[in-house]
């Protein structure tokens, strides 16, 4: 079950799709940073930089255990 996440608007940001200003919100869902526009269906997601870097370097590794 996913916990509630605060959604924050990004002041002065312009949506790359509909070009409207102050319509982009930023929130986290399952530890993934997501960006969405409230005026159109534009959305973008970005994982944590460490996770993205580890997945590229250890492509043959199934999982990493950190005690």
């Amino acid at each position: 079950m996913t916990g509630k996440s605060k959604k924050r608007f990004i002041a002065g940001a312009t949506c790359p799709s509909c070009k409207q200003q102050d319509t982009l919100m930023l929130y986290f869902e399952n530890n993934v940073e997501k960006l969405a526009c409230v005026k159109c269906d534009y959305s973008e997601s970005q994982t944590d930089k460490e996770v993205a870097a580890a997945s590229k370097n250890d492509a043959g590794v199934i999982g990493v255990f950190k005690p």
Side-chain angles (χ1 to χ4, degrees), residues 41-65:
D41 291 330
Y42 177 78
S43 65
E44 185 178 319
S45 61
Q46 179 179 358
T47 58
D48 188 23
K49 291 178 183 178
E50 294 174 346
V51 173
S55 65
K56 290 179 184 176
N57 293 335
D58 299 327
V61 176
I62 295 173
V64 177
F65 176 74

Side-chain angles (χ1 to χ4, degrees), residues 1-38:
M1 181 168 194
T2 305
K4 290 184 178 180
S5 174
K6 289 185 180 181
K7 295 179 180 176
R8 299 173 291 163
F9 281 92
I10 304 169
T14 303
C15 176
S17 180
C18 68
K19 307 297 185 210
Q20 294 291 315
Q21 190 173 10
D22 295 332
T23 60
L24 290 177
M25 65 178 176
L26 178 70
Y27 62 100
F28 284 91
E29 184 175 84
N30 297 327
N31 293 330
V32 176
E33 186 177 59
K34 296 196 175 194
L35 182 72
C37 178
V38 296

